[in-house]
Each structure stands twice: as C-alpha cells, then as structure tokens.
Amino acid sequence: MPPPERDSVWWREECERGDDSGSNQNRLFDALGREEPDVVACKFLVNTLPPLSSAVIINLEFGEEMTQVITTKLKLNLDAEQKALVSRTALAYRDALNHASVVAFDNGKISNGAKLQKAVYSSLRGLFGLGAQMACSVTRQVTATYKGLWTKLKQNAAAIKAGHTKKRYKGLDKAPKYAARTVILNYPRDYSFKPERTVSINTLDGRIKVSYDGYDKHLDLIANCKKIGEAKIVYQRASKTYYLLVSMELETPDINPLTITRVSGVDVGMRYLAVETDLNNKSAFYSGKQARHKANRYFKARKTLQRKGTRQALRRLIALSGRERRFIADVNHQISKEIAKPNSLIGLENLTRIRDRTKSKFGKKASEKQRIANRNKAKWSLAELHGYIDYKANLNGSLATKVPAHYTSQSCPKCGHTSKANRPNKGLLFRCECCNHELHSDLVGARNIAMRTLLVRQDWTSTGTLSMCPDVSGIEAKAEVLQRFSELRWSLDTSPHCSGTPLCGG
C-alpha cells in the first residue's frame, strides 16, 4: 500500500493539533533490518528538495576561525602556610557570598548586579577584607543565582497555570545559602601563570606562587593559549586538596561543508543512552542498562538515608549525590568521545521542552513501572551528553548541529509514512503499517536524524550559511520544515521522486 500524500496543509493541521511526541524514550536493542541503505539515493533525494525559505533559518555566520571554550583542572601543590592562606580567603569569600545573598533577599530579591554592588560593595571590602575584583565577583555570582531562581519561579508559575503541576516553587522563600569553599578569580588581576608551571594567586594577605599539576595535554594548552578566562578555586573534602579550574578559549579551524566526509545522526534515550548511525550504515548502540541499574541503586540508598534523617545520614547523602553526579558525567564523557569522530557533521535532536511534548503519567495515576521510567528520564542528563558531543566535535575538526525531533521515531525512513501506529504500544519495534518495513525503533530515529542532517549540509553548501537549528516556533514554519523532512528516503527504490520529478509546489 503506498503511503498517503501529505502536503504542507496536512502538516500545518498536525502542528495546530500539537500531536507529536518527538522521540520516544523507551529503548531496547533488537538486531533487525540490518540491510545496507543506498547512500547515493539519500544524497540524490536531498538534492531534489527545494531549500527552506529564509524566514525558517536561524543564520550563523562563520568567520575565518572558530573558538571553543574548555575548562582545565589543575591540582595546586600548597605547603602548610599557603594552604592556610587559601583556606582563609575561601572562607571569607563564602561568608561574603552569604552576606550579599541576605542583603539581596531583604531588598526585594535583587537580581540586578549594579544595584546589589552599590548596596554591598563597601561592606564586602571592609567586613571581609576582599579585594576590589573579588568584591565585584561576589555580586556577579549572587545576582546570577537570583536570576536563575527567578527564572525557575516564572517557569513554575507557567506550569501551574497550564495544569502541569500543583507544587509551588520554594527556591525564593529564603535567601540562598552558599556552603562550598570556592573563589572566583579573574585573569590576570586575581591570578596569572608564571614560568616553570607555577601560578600566582591573590589572597587576603597578598599574592602567593604555587606549583600545579594536571593533564599533560591541558598543561601544553595553558603554555600556548592566547586567551585565558576566569578561574575558580574549589576544595575537595575527601582528599583535602585545592584545585584550580581554568577557563580557556581555543582557536579551532573553520569547517568547510565540502570537506566533510561523514554525516551521522544520534538518537538519545534511556534503554540505550545513544544510538548513532551514518549514511554508510555503520551503527553503534550505547547501552543504558548498567547506568540505569546503578542509578536505581543510588535512588534506593538515598531513600533509606532520607528516612533516617540523622546528621551522619545527611553527610552520606551529600557524598552520594556527588558520586552519582560524577558517574553520570563520566558515562556521558565516554559516549561523546566515541561519537565525536573527526571530519564529521553530527546531527542531534533538538530536545528543548521535550518533556512538555511527551505524555507521561504522574502521581497516583502512574504505575510503579511508569514511576521508575519517569525517574530514569528525569535523572539522566541528555542535554549534558549533547553538550559534550558538541565541544568534543569542535576540538576534533567536526561540527554538531541540531535538527527538529518531531516524528523521528514515527516516520518510516523507507516510504516516509508517519503514524503512531508504526510503533505498536509505543513500542520496542518499529513496523511501518504501509510498507511493513521493520527495524529497531532507535535505529529508525537515528536514520531520520542523519537524513535531516544531510539536508542541513545541503543548505549549508548552497547558501554558505549553516542553520544550527531550524526555527519551528510558528505553525507555518514548522509545517514547512516537516513537509520537507517527509520527502526524505533512505533508499531510492521506495521514493516517489526517484526519477527526479519536482515536488508538488516546488
């Protein structure tokens, strides 16, 4: 049965109904449908499609060079006297943060940096002995915190109004409290690098010279980096060690779309944290089974400690939270390192507000299985994984771009038919109701993303401007983008345009 004709009018009606669930999060590997795609067919069909109108593209112009910001972690080799000076400075900085936070709260929860600095600058200098630059850093950090809390409060008010939740956000009920020993340092006023791998750090009692250790690659970058940003001193309680986190801006070569030799798509989820495929049908599945198992262990341990409520249990909760956060970051680093291959254009789903677009049961209506799925979905940081892929790709001479996630798991890559029925019971297996094409659902999503990324590359080549993320905020724009995506095919023999005939209205 041939797929039904779906023009821009059909897509516009779908957008008005809002009936799209994006990429479903239930994942399971099944080695089905490993047939070789016709790569030439994919490229042929992309070249027959009309370009998007200028109103649908967010332009990003590249100059002669691009930059990438990274953070290096350096261990400070402090002697006893230096450690006492750094500790005294860190504690004074923390007390200054809490003082500024209380003043901002008492004066209407100020989030304006100039107003707060005018209110607390003299007291930060006099009461805590901070230098001028550190006092300015305190006010910037506190106002940034309040801006984030105000944003969350507004989002909570919108969610309550839309009926998504009944819980009131309580982040601004009292002044935020700072507990960690951290100090923000500005380069070169508060710190600067010296020869023989030493760094000069400003303290309350003057500057001190400290030797440091770190990753050899990062040490070489520091020696040759042209632009160094601000740094942060952090204290690790377990080892009683101070570290210096330094922000650096690195120059990366400008990327030409004609020199890119590989286009891939990445579908993220929970059963499989990531599924990657390229146009040569080389696929990789990154299982989330072990990660989910460990996350559930952390959840049970946290639940037990919260019931106890003792001081020791609270200490264990803090330590457990740090271990869980580091575990998630480590897994995301490993996956992103494998995905960010050299000389590639990597397609990622635009998952902005994806939880609002996907329907999940919460509260008393949800089963125990649904509660576990919701917990896993909320816990894992998919945005962090996307960020890691992005910056590692830039360092490897590649580029990551985002494409709309709408219908990637419901559209058949062979015939283009889009329907929820293609995934029975929101399923683990994709079976097209038109052409009976069967494939693992995550691989279908990755293939659709890869084809959409190839379309981005075509626009980039023809216009010289890279569309980092097509604008689908309006119904008309969204319908035009989805109509264009619906014409993509993974193989030539199933395409209605295999003879090169133009699209309707094109």
Side-chain angles (χ1 to χ4, degrees):
M1 184 173 70
E5 288 293 330
R6 289 178 173 174
D7 55 11
S8 58
V9 176
W10 184 89
W11 285 110
R12 191 181 303 113
E13 292 174 352
E14 284 291 294
C15 295
E16 290 173 350
R17 286 199 298 267
D19 188 19
D20 63 280
S21 60
S23 180
N24 194 280
Q25 298 294 323
N26 295 325
R27 313 296 190 197
L28 184 65
F29 174 64
D30 186 5
L32 290 173
R34 292 294 184 104
E35 72 275 11
E36 291 292 328
D38 190 338
V39 183
V40 178
C42 292
K43 295 181 179 178
F44 171 80
L45 280 169
V46 167
N47 289 328
T48 64
L49 296 176
L52 288 171
S53 65
S54 58
V56 185
I57 295 181
I58 299 177
N59 293 332
L60 181 64
E61 298 289 348
F62 287 94
E64 294 182 356
E65 59 185 26
M66 297 171 58
T67 59
Q68 175 63 47
V69 177
I70 66 169
T71 301
T72 62
K73 185 176 182 180
L74 307 176
K75 179 183 177 182
L76 298 177
N77 300 319
L78 301 166
D79 58 32
E81 184 179 354
Q82 291 174 335
K83 192 171 185 179
L85 290 173
V86 173
S87 296
R88 183 166 170 265
T89 304
L91 292 174
Y93 190 90
R94 183 182 67 182
D95 293 340
L97 286 171
N98 288 316
H99 171 74
S101 178
V102 172
V103 172
F105 186 82
D106 292 340
N107 289 273
K109 304 165 187 176
I110 300 175
S111 61
N112 183 287
K115 289 183 179 179
L116 183 60
Q117 182 163 336
K118 187 176 180 180
V120 302
Y121 181 78
S122 58
S123 60
L124 295 180
R125 297 293 306 274
L127 293 177
F128 304 100
L130 298 183
Q133 196 61 47
M134 283 190 183
C136 295
S137 297
V138 166
T139 56
R140 282 197 298 267
Q141 187 172 345
V142 172
T143 52
T145 300
Y146 273 92
K147 285 178 183 178
L149 294 176
W150 276 112
T151 299
K152 291 180 180 179
L153 184 67
K154 292 176 182 178
Q155 291 174 346
N156 176 252
I160 292 175
K161 187 176 180 180
H164 296 319
T165 183
K166 295 181 180 179
K167 293 183 179 179
R168 184 180 66 86
Y169 180 68
K170 301 179 181 179
L172 280 172
D173 287 358
K174 57 183 180 180
K177 186 176 180 180
Y178 298 85
R181 295 189 197 180
T182 62
V183 183
I184 302 296
L185 304 175
N186 281 275
Y187 184 87
R189 296 181 179 180
D190 292 327
Y191 81 105
S192 58
F193 289 101
K194 301 298 181 181
E196 299 179 358
R197 288 188 180 178
T198 57
V199 59
S200 174
I201 299 175
N202 193 19
T203 68
L204 297 183
D205 298 319
R207 284 186 174 256
I208 57 174
K209 265 189 175 183
V210 184
S211 64
Y212 58 86
D213 297 322
Y215 181 38
D216 289 339
K217 188 175 181 180
H218 289 171
L219 297 179
D220 294 336
L221 290 174
I222 289 174
N224 302 308
C225 183
K226 294 182 179 180
K227 190 171 183 180
I228 298 176
E230 68 178 19
K232 180 190 288 188
I233 295 177
V234 296
Y235 180 68
Q236 192 175 83
R237 290 186 178 183
S239 61
K240 297 181 179 179
T241 306
Y242 282 96
Y243 291 89
L244 186 68
L245 306 182
V246 182
S247 173
M248 296 189 301
E249 189 173 297
L250 306 178
E251 294 181 358
T252 58
D254 190 21
I255 300 174
N256 190 326
L258 299 177
T259 61
I260 289 177
T261 58
R262 182 175 179 272
V263 176
S264 66
V266 179
D267 183 74
V268 295
M270 288 309 306
R271 292 292 186 105
Y272 274 75
L273 299 177
V275 176
E276 181 197 20
T277 188
D278 60 17
L279 299 182
N280 293 320
N281 204 37
K282 292 181 179 179
S283 304
F285 289 77
Y286 301 93
S287 176
K289 184 176 181 180
Q290 184 180 359
R292 288 200 320 276
H293 174 68
K294 199 162 186 176
N296 287 333
R297 284 178 56 193
Y298 281 124
F299 172 77
K300 291 177 181 178
R302 188 165 54 251
K303 195 174 181 180
T304 302
L305 291 170
Q306 286 171 344
R307 284 175 178 172
K308 288 186 176 181
T310 62
R311 183 178 296 179
Q312 183 63 27
L314 180 60
R315 290 175 184 162
R316 290 299 304 156
L317 274 171
I318 295 173
L320 199 68
S321 175
R323 288 175 60 187
E324 185 175 10
R325 185 175 62 255
R326 290 191 297 274
F327 167 71
I328 293 173
D330 180 60
V331 173
N332 284 338
H333 269 299
Q334 294 179 39
I335 296 174
S336 60
K337 186 177 180 180
E338 294 294 327
I339 291 175
K341 297 177 179 64
N343 207 24
S344 301
L345 181 62
I346 304 168
L348 307 173
E349 294 173 290
N350 184 12
L351 298 179
T352 303
R353 304 190 67 83
I354 187 64
R355 290 185 174 92
D356 295 341
R357 300 203 305 265
T358 55
K359 298 177 182 179
S360 299
K361 291 183 179 179
F362 294 92
K364 296 180 180 180
K365 295 181 180 180
S367 63
E368 182 63 25
K369 185 177 180 181
Q370 183 65 56
R371 289 194 183 98
I372 294 174
N374 291 340
R375 186 170 68 240
N376 290 334
K377 185 171 26 173
K379 175 58 67 176
W380 203 265
S381 181
L382 301 178
E384 181 184 69
L385 176 58
H386 278 181
Y388 288 170
I389 294 172
D390 182 29
Y391 95 83
K392 290 180 190 293
N394 288 344
L395 294 177
N396 284 342
S398 299
L399 198 64
T401 183
K402 287 192 174 183
V403 299
H406 306 88
Y407 304 104
T408 52
S409 61
Q410 298 176 12
S411 300
C412 179
K414 290 196 74 175
C415 71
H417 176 63
T418 303
S419 172
K420 286 185 177 180
N422 288 344
R423 294 186 61 180
N425 301 320
K426 294 185 179 179
L428 309 175
L429 175 67
F430 181 95
R431 181 182 291 110
C432 179
E433 60 181 359
C434 275
C435 68
N436 295 322
H437 177 58
E438 289 188 354
L439 199 64
H440 171 243
S441 57
D442 275 1
L443 192 55
V444 168
R447 286 185 175 184
N448 283 323
I449 295 168
M451 289 191 291
R452 294 179 183 189
T453 307
L454 190 63
L455 201 59
V456 170
R457 183 191 175 187
Q458 178 216 0
D459 293 335
W460 186 14
T461 304
S462 59
T463 64
T465 301
L466 175 63
S467 172
M468 293 300 292
C469 184
D471 181 11
V472 291
S473 56
I475 293 178
E476 294 290 337
K478 182 177 176 182
E480 183 180 351
V481 171
L482 295 180
Q483 161 66 13
R484 196 168 183 233
F485 288 159
S486 69
E487 301 296 335
L488 296 171
R489 301 292 183 270
W490 192 256
S491 58
L492 186 63
D493 57 333
T494 56
S495 171
H497 307 295
C498 59
S499 60
T501 56
L503 301 177
C504 296

